[in-house]
Amino acid sequence: MLTKRIIPCLDVKGGRVVKGVQFIGLRDAGDPVEIAEMYDQQGADELTFLDITASSDARDIIIDIVQRTADRVFMPLTVGGGIRSVEDVRRLLNAGADKISINTAAVDRPDFVREAAERFGSQCTVVAIDARRIPGEKRWEVFTHGGRKPTGLDVVEWAMLMESYGSGEILLTSMDCDGTKDGYDIELTRAVVDAVSIPVIASGGVGNLEHLYDGFTAAGASACLAASIFHYREYTIGQAKEYLRDKGVEVRL
Amino acid sequence: MIAIIDYGMGNLRSVQKGFEKIGCDAIITADPHVLLTAERIVLPGVGAFRDCMKNLEQGGFVEPILKVISEGRPFLGICVGMQMLFSDSVEFGLHSGLNVIPGHVLRFPDQMTVAGEKLKVPQMGWNQLSFKRRPPVFDGVNDGSNVYFVHSYYVKPTDSSVIATTTDYGFEFCSSVWRDNIIATQFHPEKSQAIGLRILKNFAELT
């Protein structure tokens, strides 16, 4: 049967991997191609690059990184951050990306998601959603621009709409949990998983291996994204997978 | 020389780099004439069946593909490149394929569940191969090996004896076929790490 995926996420700024804590306070964590190779050897199921500079000259830097990574590792590669046009998508796919993830541009112009899916296929069109809980409610609001801008959109409704526009996967980040190491927002993830038929990647908040287990079981995510627990070598991907296997989660080892 | 058919759809670089990694020259070509001089041919595929077929036709690839297959040259179809070898597909309406292997391309049913969880479509991720036959292209690949899939549609050959492997996604679907010089995989060898590279190497060495 289909195994659950562990996806290390590399936030890239100015050609280096960094990791933000609740989107601020960056620390340098190394060379993206080297880190990608390390995760490849550890048995990561996919890799995600998130370009958090997202200016026009950064575009060329990330394309170069994608190209050099795809030359060396033979596993699925997703790239997100500042993707605004079909031409951006085409360039990244030609550089060796398998999937692109669209966030702010999807809110600005939802038809962009449809255009990307029709041109390149749903399988490579990921919609990334940054979600913040509405205080005291079991509802979440979509934020854009790296989590700075509220949109008034309901996260579950937005995810369903994006599925209908041809998105093949949802990358769901809890802004409340991101960087806390207290675990994924299980309620949020479960709500979106149950609302859509496409795979959902849980993101934001993982601090230990039990959090990954909860993401797959309690929240029902198809994949779990994590950054700092792997970047700072608290755990290897292999350790994470052995832990999950021992608890009865189907993983690739 | 291995020719990778470029008909304007998606990422071909990974397939080429995969062959380079194992020390084989592979060229990406949009020129149908080059196919006729190639020793081995790879038909990758990313995107919708309808658009892929349309681009193959407009690129003038259909006749050369049928010719090299009938001449017995090793031919590898990947993902939609596998699906296009079949008679037809129901993706975005009913569309004809190359009809090299009789059979249909169907969508995974909605609302399949396993252990109380809905099976998501597309199937995206690593799943296992269960061997029905052992084509040489899978030498050194163990039963139960994990390979990378991303697809919402699957093939159903009319003649089940062409099936090389099946994979379980709510039911056992055909994840690769083998008939004479034709090998076709629903999964992506170029994204399946060491096992995938082994398959590409075997393909490059088929005699």
Side-chain angles (χ1 to χ4, degrees), chain A residues 129-152:
Chain A
I129 302 175
D130 291 338
R132 174 169 285 172
R133 187 183 285 262
I134 297 166
E137 292 187 46
K138 205 183 159 181
R139 286 176 62 230
W140 299 263
E141 182 179 358
V142 178
F143 278 66
T144 57
H145 296 82
R148 293 189 302 275
K149 196 174 159 192
T151 65

Side-chain angles (χ1 to χ4, degrees), chain B residues 7 32 40 42 101 119 126 130 154 156-158 166 193 202:
Chain B
Y7 53 107
R40 294 153 211 280
V42 180
I101 299 175
L119 285 185
W126 298 79
S130 167
Y154 66 97
K156 190 165 189 218
T158 306
T166 61
Q193 294 180 329
N202 289 342

Side-chain angles (χ1 to χ4, degrees), chain A residues 91-112:
Chain A
R91 286 185 71 198
L92 284 163
L93 294 179
N94 283 346
D98 299 286
K99 303 191 252 183
I100 49 86
S101 111
I102 305 171
N103 188 334
T104 300
V107 174
D108 288 351
R109 198 171 68 81
D111 271 332
F112 173 42

Side-chain angles (χ1 to χ4, degrees), chain A residues 25-249:
Chain A
L26 301 174
R27 273 170 69 184
D28 192 82
D31 175 69
V33 182
E34 275 173 29
I35 293 175
E37 281 191 300
M38 179 185 81
Y39 289 137
D40 181 48
Q41 283 154 16
Q42 288 185 8
D45 296 309
E46 293 183 17
L47 286 174
T48 291
F49 285 134
L50 203 53
D51 179 6
I52 57 170
T53 344
S55 64
S56 55
D57 41 321
R59 183 70 26 207
D60 293 327
I61 296 173
I62 194 80
I63 282 171
D64 175 62
I65 290 169
V66 169
Q67 217 157 43
R68 286 189 292 123
T69 305
D71 287 355
R72 283 150 80 167
V73 305
F74 296 89
M75 64 192 303
L77 197 56
T78 303
V79 182
I83 296 169
R84 309 206 65 86
S85 68
V86 167
E87 176 61 15
D88 288 340
V89 178
R90 196 189 63 78
R91 286 185 71 198
L92 284 163
L93 294 179
N94 283 346
D98 299 286
K99 303 191 252 183
I100 49 86
S101 111
I102 305 171
N103 188 334
T104 300
V107 174
D108 288 351
R109 198 171 68 81
D111 271 332
F112 173 42
V113 172
R114 200 196 305 268
E115 288 160 17
E118 283 180 0
R119 175 73 183 84
F120 304 105
S122 292
Q123 84 292 331
C124 70
T125 309
V126 181
V127 170
I129 302 175
D130 291 338
R132 174 169 285 172
R133 187 183 285 262
I134 297 166
E137 292 187 46
K138 205 183 159 181
R139 286 176 62 230
W140 299 263
E141 182 179 358
V142 178
F143 278 66
T144 57
H145 296 82
R148 293 189 302 275
K149 196 174 159 192
T151 65
L153 293 165
D154 176 84
V155 166
V156 172
E157 286 169 15
W158 177 243
M160 292 167 74
L161 186 72
M162 288 295 92
E163 177 181 19
S164 75
Y165 273 56
S167 170
E169 192 170 46
I170 300 286
L171 167 52
L172 180 64
T173 302
S174 161
M175 294 173 56
D176 306 293
C177 297
D178 194 67
T180 63
K181 292 182 162 273
D182 289 338
Y184 296 117
D185 185 332
I186 300 296
E187 268 191 340
L188 162 71
T189 311
R190 176 49 82 179
V192 176
V193 164
D194 286 346
V196 299
S197 298
I198 54 180
V200 175
I201 305 170
S203 161
V206 63
N208 61 43
L209 301 182
E210 196 180 350
H211 294 151
L212 298 174
Y213 176 77
D214 293 340
F216 289 128
T217 54
S222 297
C224 279
L225 192 94
S228 45
I229 65 162
F230 297 131
H231 295 339
Y232 298 119
R233 312 195 187 197
E234 291 163 35
Y235 304 98
T236 64
I237 307 268
Q239 283 169 336
K241 287 187 165 185
E242 279 166 20
Y243 172 86
L244 291 164
R245 179 199 56 195
D246 292 346
K247 295 195 74 167
V249 178

Side-chain angles (χ1 to χ4, degrees), chain A residues 1-3 5 40 45-46 67 71 74-76 94 98-99 123 169 190 193 196-198 252, chain B residues 11 13 17-18 21 46 51 117-118 120-121 123-124 126-128 146 148 150 190-191 193:
Chain A
M1 66 188 283
L2 184 68
T3 55
R5 288 172 281 154
D40 181 48
D45 296 309
E46 293 183 17
Q67 217 157 43
D71 287 355
F74 296 89
M75 64 192 303
N94 283 346
D98 299 286
K99 303 191 252 183
Q123 84 292 331
E169 192 170 46
R190 176 49 82 179
V193 164
V196 299
S197 298
I198 54 180
R252 181 179 68 109
Chain B
N11 165 21
R13 187 182 162 86
K17 289 288 161 190
K21 178 92 177 174
V46 174
D51 297 337
E117 290 280 350
K118 261 192 309 187
K120 299 291 190 177
V121 178
Q123 166 170 239
M124 199 177 283
W126 298 79
N127 203 334
Q128 299 92 47
N146 279 290
Y148 190 80
V150 47
E190 77 282 12
K191 290 290 158 188
Q193 294 180 329

